[in-house]
Amino acid sequence: MQRIGVLTSGGDAPGMNATLRAVVKAGTYHNLEVLGIEAGYIGLLEKRYRKLEILDVEEIVSYGGTIIKTGRTKEFQSETGFKKALANIKNLELDGLVVIGGNGSMKGAQKLVDAGVKVIGVPGTIDNDITGTDYAIGFDTACNIVTETVDRILDTATSLVGDTPRVFVIEVMGRHSGEIAMNSTLAGSVDGLLIPELEIDYDEVADNLKRKFEIGKNYGIILMAEGVGKVDDISRELEMRLGYKIRETLLGHQQRGGRPTFFDRVLASKLGAEAVNQLVKGENAKMVGVRNNVVEAVDLEVVNSEQKSFNDKNYELTKMICY
Ligand code: F6P
């Protein structure tokens, strides 16, 4: 093995740069040349790449985003596009590829494996919705941003007193996954949670708030994942039940930016280095992840065939914290 490629694909996640640093450092340690493929699978289609050396990555551990860019492309799925990508991989003489990204990226990795390319995946998505790892890179940073937002809203919620309770609804990311919303609820002063994995029970959320108002609380904070609907629609439903005007916050892409946390940097560093170790050992078609605090490699087929199971226990505990 002499030359490997690395790409970041799909939604960027804080910690992707830390992962790149680890891949390049581990690659150099193993005497490998590392090519950074630009803009995810787009870079494979368009043969956009640059050589990454120690000095290119020495300082990026603390940077958000990804220095080699990321991307989403439909062309990679088409027969002609895919053939082009394969020809470029051959032309670049890549002996292996590290793919950093979320669920869509792992599916792309599997497609390459099926066509004979040696690939190791690394889970990088703020959504934390990938099977085979307890945590994906970027999730912790995103949750910290949400937690800080909840703290800030709490400051104003607890300070301004009016004739009626003040209720705030905050929409956070997660089209198909409530992981960010649920875990941030545990970390902050939150009174209600709405996530796409479960049917919405507006009455339950409203009743919980009313009970709190009865015992003297004069504000409420609700967290909702984007997958449950639009923040205005959700707010209207709650307003109808509560009779109070609701204040809305749509957090958006702030959750994807900024410096990665300590946790994400450590996770990224371990997984990036292990991905290279796996390739050097001759492994293929795996994704590296962390389970019960142990770095492990799991079959990409398993990652791609199973939806990450919903953590019922976590939800049960979260509901008690909202109570
Ligand atoms: O997959 C990460 C993610 O941030 C999701 O939480 C969100 O639904 C989506 O990407 C947003 O994508 P875009 O940046 O294309 O709006």
Side-chain angles (χ1 to χ4, degrees):
M1 179 157 288
Q2 289 178 337
R3 179 185 289 162
I4 61 169
V6 59
L7 60 83
T8 48
S9 158
D12 47 273
M16 279 185 163
N17 276 326
T19 319
L20 290 173
R21 179 188 72 149
V23 168
V24 173
K25 293 228 172 186
T28 312
Y29 175 89
H30 287 297
N31 290 318
L32 300 175
E33 194 182 354
V34 182
L35 300 189
I37 312 293
E38 293 178 341
Y41 294 115
I42 296 172
L44 285 182
L45 291 165
E46 298 176 2
K47 212 170 162 198
R48 279 167 53 186
Y49 67 95
R50 63 178 153 132
K51 199 171 160 190
L52 292 174
E53 291 177 293
I54 293 283
L55 277 185
D56 297 309
V57 297
E58 200 73 293
E59 291 147 19
I60 65 172
V61 66
S62 64
Y63 298 178
T66 158
I67 58 160
I68 54 171
K69 316 282 183 212
T70 181
R72 295 188 181 117
T73 168
K74 287 212 166 66
E75 197 190 339
F76 184 73
Q77 303 301 332
S78 72
E79 210 184 310
T80 32
F82 188 66
K83 273 191 186 150
K84 205 154 78 174
L86 282 181
N88 284 335
I89 290 172
K90 202 165 169 207
N91 195 262
L92 288 171
E93 296 181 356
L94 295 182
D95 302 315
L97 182 68
V98 175
V99 170
I100 307 162
N103 276 320
S105 312
M106 293 310 130
K107 291 209 165 57
Q110 182 69 56
K111 205 166 147 79
L112 287 171
V113 164
D114 294 343
V117 182
K118 287 202 168 95
V119 188
I120 300 291
V122 180
T125 166
I126 64 164
D127 291 353
N128 201 31
D129 57 351
I130 304 185
T131 297
T133 187
D134 293 341
Y135 296 103
I137 295 156
F139 170 66
D140 184 69
T141 307
C143 286
N144 273 282
I145 293 162
V146 174
T147 303
E148 195 190 326
T149 303
V150 172
D151 290 349
R152 283 169 187 258
I153 287 185
L154 182 69
D155 284 349
T156 168
T158 51
S159 300
L160 208 161
V161 178
D163 294 332
T164 57
R166 285 159 66 81
V167 181
F168 299 79
V169 175
I170 309 170
E171 177 185 321
V172 301
M173 277 189 167
R175 255 196 291 252
H176 307 291
S177 166
E179 278 280 291
I180 295 178
M182 182 156 72
N183 287 278
S184 305
T185 294
L186 285 166
S189 182
V190 177
D191 306 288
L193 170 68
L194 301 171
I195 52 177
E197 290 89 340
L198 299 171
E199 215 172 296
I200 311 181
D201 189 340
Y202 294 108
D203 291 331
E204 192 188 29
V205 175
D207 289 347
N208 195 43
L209 281 172
K210 283 183 195 160
R211 190 185 49 77
K212 288 188 169 191
F213 298 155
E214 273 163 28
I215 59 169
K217 187 166 174 169
N218 68 347
Y219 68 88
I221 300 177
I222 310 292
L223 270 189
M224 56 162 283
E226 62 175 322
V228 299
K230 290 199 181 337
V231 65
D232 344 7
D233 299 335
I234 305 292
S235 297
R236 291 307 77 80
E237 289 289 342
L238 290 173
E239 274 177 358
M240 274 185 333
R241 286 163 177 81
L242 292 168
Y244 307 126
K245 181 170 163 30
I246 287 185
R247 270 86 182 164
E248 295 159 11
T249 300
L250 203 169
L251 196 50
H253 290 78
Q254 280 179 71
Q255 290 158 94
R256 287 225 305 250
R259 289 172 174 255
T261 55
F262 164 85
F263 182 90
D264 274 332
R265 294 182 200 197
V266 171
L267 181 66
S269 299
K270 287 181 185 171
L271 297 189
E274 180 59 17
V276 176
N277 279 346
Q278 291 283 326
L279 282 175
V280 170
K281 275 198 298 189
E283 293 289 353
N284 178 24
K286 306 259 182 201
M287 183 192 80
V288 290
V290 63
R291 281 192 287 187
N292 302 321
N293 215 16
V294 178
V295 172
E296 285 175 352
V298 49
D299 288 343
L300 264 179
E301 265 189 8
V302 173
V303 173
N304 285 320
S305 60
E306 291 172 19
Q307 215 186 346
K308 190 170 190 171
S309 55
F310 181 65
N311 195 331
D312 293 299
K313 175 86 182 169
N314 211 354
Y315 182 70
E316 187 193 319
L317 300 174
T318 310
K319 274 189 84 169
M320 293 170 84
I321 296 295
C322 285
Y323 198 70

